[in-house]
Amino acid sequence: MMSGCNVYPTLVNYQPLSSSLQPEVISNYKPIRLETGDILKVEVSSVDLDAVAVYKDFQTSGYLIDSKGNIDFPLAGQIKLAGKTIEEAKIEVLEKLSKYFKVQPTINLALTNFKVTINGEVGSPRVLSVQNDRINIIEAVVTSGDFTPYSNRDSVMVVRETDGVRSFGYVNFNSNQIFKSPYFYLKQDDIIYVKPEKRVLGNIRTRQDKILPYVSVGISVILLAFTISRNR
C-alpha cells in the first residue's frame, strides 16, 4: 500500500490543478519560422487562366529552401523565405508574382516535411509527420501511444536544433507548468525522449537471467532421476 501511494503522484499529469481554474494568456507560442532544408508546397490559383497556366503545367514534389534561404520559383526566380513564418512567406510569394497577373492570384503555402521524433518509454515510438504548423508535446506523446506505466514523466527531454545550434530542454508532465514551457510547442525536427523510471531497471532481466531458471529446473530433474535410479 505504501509503495502504491508513493507511485501515484508520478502518474498524475498537470499538478496542481485547483478546483477553480482561471483562463491564462498563451505567451509561449510562436509560429514556426522556415529554415534551410524545409520543403514547401506552393499552389497558385487565379481567374487569370493564361498566367496561372505556367503553374498548372509545372510538376514538382515541393520547393526546397536552399542553403541561402531561397526557393527557385517559376517566373519569380529566387525568393528568400528562410526566417519567415508561413503567413509571411505567402505574402512574399504573392508580392513576387503579382506583376505577372492581371488579377491578384491566391497563394496556398504549406510546409511538407514538418516532423518530430518521439522515442523511449512510450507505447509506439515513431517519426511523426505534422499536417499543420502547430503541434504541442502532449499531442506528440498521445499520438505515439502515450506513456507506459514505466515512463518517467517529470523529465521528458526535447532536443532542438535552431540555426546550427543544438539545445536540450526538459518538460515535467507532472506539473501544470508544462503549459508555460518554451518546449511545450514543438518545432521542426524536434526529438522527444521519454526515460524509463529508475524502479523499472530492477525488473529488467538479461538473457542469462531469463534462461537460468529453466537450466536450474533441468539440472534438478536430471539429479532427481539419477538419485531415483541409484536407489532402485
Side-chain angles (χ1 to χ4, degrees):
M1 289 178 62
M2 292 299 295
S3 175
C5 291
N6 290 334
V7 170
Y8 175 75
T10 67
L11 298 178
V12 180
N13 293 337
Y14 326 134
Q15 304 175 70
L17 292 176
S18 65
S19 57
S20 57
L21 297 176
Q22 299 298 319
E24 294 181 345
V25 175
I26 298 176
S27 58
N28 59 334
Y29 172 71
K30 296 179 181 178
I32 63 169
R33 294 193 173 274
L34 300 175
E35 303 172 351
T36 58
D38 284 345
I39 300 174
L40 305 177
K41 179 181 179 181
V42 184
E43 295 179 340
V44 182
S45 58
S46 173
V47 295
D48 187 348
L49 300 181
D50 291 336
V52 83
V54 174
Y55 303 100
K56 297 297 182 182
D57 297 335
F58 189 81
Q59 301 294 324
T60 178
S61 58
Y63 296 92
L64 174 69
I65 299 181
D66 63 23
S67 59
K68 296 181 180 179
N70 302 321
I71 64 169
D72 191 5
F73 204 69
L75 292 181
Q78 297 286 307
I79 306 178
K80 190 171 185 63
L81 297 181
K84 298 183 182 297
T85 66
I86 296 294
E87 291 303 316
E88 290 171 347
K90 286 182 181 179
I91 294 172
E92 183 70 17
V93 173
L94 180 60
E95 290 180 352
K96 297 292 186 181
L97 294 184
S98 291
K99 62 183 178 180
Y100 299 104
F101 288 80
K102 298 175 182 177
V103 180
Q104 182 169 282
T106 299
I107 306 297
N108 289 317
L109 187 148
L111 177 62
T112 64
N113 64 332
F114 186 179
K115 67 182 186 303
V116 296
T117 301
I118 179 164
N119 66 348
E121 197 62 45
V122 292
S124 181
R126 66 186 59 198
V127 177
L128 181 61
S129 295
V130 182
Q131 300 304 313
N132 53 43
D133 59 352
R134 179 168 174 165
I135 184 173
N136 62 56
I137 193 170
I138 297 175
E139 292 176 287
V141 169
V142 171
T143 304
S144 300
D146 214 335
F147 292 122
T148 75
Y150 308 111
S151 301
N152 185 330
R153 303 177 183 221
D154 63 9
S155 185
V156 177
M157 182 171 66
V158 180
V159 183
R160 176 169 296 167
E161 296 183 4
T162 306
D163 298 327
V165 178
R166 182 179 295 114
S167 63
F168 301 86
Y170 294 87
V171 296
N172 182 359
F173 274 75
N174 292 141
S175 169
N176 62 1
Q177 294 301 306
I178 184 177
F179 298 105
K180 299 179 181 180
S181 168
Y183 292 93
F184 180 71
Y185 292 103
L186 301 176
K187 306 294 184 183
Q188 303 103 302
D189 299 319
D190 277 357
I191 299 172
I192 304 165
Y193 174 64
V194 181
K195 296 186 294 184
E197 288 275 11
K198 290 182 179 180
R199 60 190 172 89
V200 178
L201 299 179
N203 298 328
I204 297 176
R205 297 188 299 171
T206 64
R207 184 178 180 184
Q208 291 83 355
D209 293 333
K210 295 177 181 178
I211 295 175
L212 186 60
Y214 299 100
V215 174
S216 299
V217 170
I219 293 175
S220 298
V221 170
I222 293 172
L223 289 175
L224 179 61
F226 178 73
T227 300
I228 293 174
S229 65
R230 289 189 60 183
N231 292 333
R232 285 181 177 180

